[in-house]
Amino acid sequence: MSKTATAYQPQLLDPHSAAPQPVSPANGRSFKLAELYRLLDCRLVDVIRLTPELILIIDDEGKFRNPAYLNLVATYLWYHHQPEARGIDSIVGRAILCHDKQFK
């Protein structure tokens, strides 16, 4: 794993909080699926690439929840890095911002 990946602090982006919350993989290196399901409170995840190194891991079924909560911080990051997504889609539910080497 690159030095950048180990130095990057993953952040939990919760739609109920304006401030990102630091999270870390249990093994100290990379998140495993069961761990992501617990952190995101979901059963299916999807990955959105923001940059060559940064990704958002999202609840892929967040829009089907009732109520569904728009994640303003995650959506803003997505729109900022991928402007073509603006006005087409948004991120709903919890998300994790991390280095792509931190998810295997």
Side-chain angles (χ1 to χ4, degrees), residues 71-89:
N71 190 321
L72 293 173
V73 175
T75 300
Y76 170 81
L77 287 169
W78 186 29
Y79 289 177
H80 177 75
H81 290 283
Q82 302 208 4
E84 62 275 5
R86 290 181 189 157
I88 298 193
D89 206 353

Side-chain angles (χ1 to χ4, degrees), residues 15-72:
H16 301 291
S17 174
Q21 303 163 8
V23 292
S24 295
N27 66 12
R29 293 182 311 277
S30 60
F31 292 102
K32 303 300 179 201
L33 272 176
E35 185 175 16
L36 290 170
Y37 295 152
R38 183 180 50 77
L39 286 168
L40 298 177
D41 187 26
C42 70
R43 296 179 301 165
L44 186 63
V45 299
D46 199 1
V47 175
I48 297 173
R49 181 159 299 278
L50 299 178
T51 71
E53 294 183 338
L54 291 178
I55 59 173
L56 279 172
I57 304 169
I58 66 167
D59 174 359
D60 195 44
E61 298 176 319
K63 293 177 185 156
F64 300 114
R65 292 182 180 240
N66 188 12
Y69 294 102
L70 176 65
N71 190 321
L72 293 173

